[in-house]
Amino acid sequence: MRYTDEIEVMKIHLIRHGKTLATEKKLYYGRTDLPLVEPGVEEVTLLREQGIYPKGGMFFTSGLLRAEQTFNIIYGNAHRRILPLLAELNVGEFEMKSYDELKDRADYQAWITDETGDVACPGGESINQFTKRVIEGYHHIVSAVSISATAVCHGGVISCIMEHLYPGEQKNFYQWVPEPGRGYTIHHTSDGLHEYEPI
């Protein structure tokens, strides 16, 4: 659709943090508070220099170190609000473990084959609990801003929001996950329609 002057548009920008050690090694992690690795710092810095990131508006992060470091690279010491509702999925006992380490565990198989979303990681969250929390966080952002907001958070969080807002796109959870340092801009309009574009 084409936005006209008569339609008020609010933009919500969702940016995934840069690479960490767990990203590189393909480990499950959510609450483990890892820093960015040097290639992650370099990639986000390059993307910032290319001018891909939105400017202005309100800022949010999950408060986890990797999100804070990414925010600092992009926006320096700009004021941001910490919103723990945007933290990554808590995978409990699966934290910092690989598929090969977990594949023979019955509780892991129960989790990855669950189609209800109700099976929680041992000591962690279920997909349904995670979704409820994240969408609550997203609604908090939408209700707090009038023009634009940027949230630097996590791949799973962004995927959860996109899957919730755009069920007709026929993408699964993992297909929505943006590359590190990338994300989406969501356009909310006064008539209730919204579109998105990649960052």
Side-chain angles (χ1 to χ4, degrees):
M1 73 182 274
R2 291 180 178 274
Y3 298 118
T4 68
D5 293 338
E6 287 76 31
I7 299 178
E8 181 181 349
V9 179
M10 176 176 66
K11 295 182 180 181
I12 307 295
H13 312 283
L14 305 173
I15 300 171
R16 184 185 179 189
H17 62 78
K19 287 180 182 175
T20 68
L21 180 65
T23 312
E24 291 187 327
K25 294 192 172 185
K26 298 183 179 180
L27 305 178
Y28 287 100
Y29 77 118
R31 297 301 174 89
T32 304
D33 208 10
L34 296 176
L36 302 184
V37 290
E38 190 57 35
V41 172
E42 292 171 356
E43 286 175 358
V44 175
T45 301
L46 179 60
L47 291 172
R48 182 200 68 205
E49 291 172 351
Q50 291 173 354
I52 74 161
Y53 295 117
K55 299 176 175 62
M58 296 179 66
F59 295 114
F60 299 84
T61 79
S62 67
L64 291 173
L65 179 59
R66 54 195 183 271
E68 287 289 294
Q69 287 184 320
T70 302
F71 182 92
N72 287 337
I73 294 169
I74 301 171
Y75 297 111
N77 62 356
H79 175 72
R80 70 280 216 168
R81 300 183 184 186
I82 304 300
L83 190 56
L85 290 168
L86 298 182
E88 185 59 281
L89 173 69
N90 182 352
V91 293
E93 293 179 16
F94 302 155
E95 289 275 341
M96 299 301 290
K97 292 182 171 63
S98 68
Y99 170 78
D100 286 337
E101 292 176 289
L102 294 168
K103 64 183 179 181
D104 296 326
R105 289 181 55 159
D107 52 4
Y108 174 72
Q109 289 298 326
W111 179 60
I112 64 170
T113 58
D114 170 44
E115 295 183 356
T116 68
D118 290 329
V119 176
C121 306
E125 295 176 291
S126 71
I127 293 298
N128 288 340
Q129 290 169 330
F130 174 62
T131 300
K132 181 180 179 181
R133 167 171 64 79
V134 168
I135 298 307
E136 181 183 346
Y138 184 75
H139 288 161
H140 176 86
I141 293 174
V142 171
S143 65
V145 304
S146 58
I147 299 175
S148 70
T150 299
V152 179
C153 50
H154 308 270
V157 171
I158 295 171
S159 180
C160 179
I161 293 169
M162 298 300 290
E163 193 174 42
H164 176 78
L165 293 178
Y166 304 103
E169 289 287 317
Q170 298 184 346
K171 291 185 179 182
N172 66 38
F173 182 88
Y174 297 100
Q175 290 171 323
W176 277 117
V177 176
E179 292 296 317
R182 295 281 185 169
Y184 301 98
T185 293
I186 299 165
H187 300 263
H188 288 265
T189 66
S190 55
D191 60 3
L193 298 175
H194 46 77
E195 293 185 341
Y196 74 90
E197 57 187 346
I199 295 175

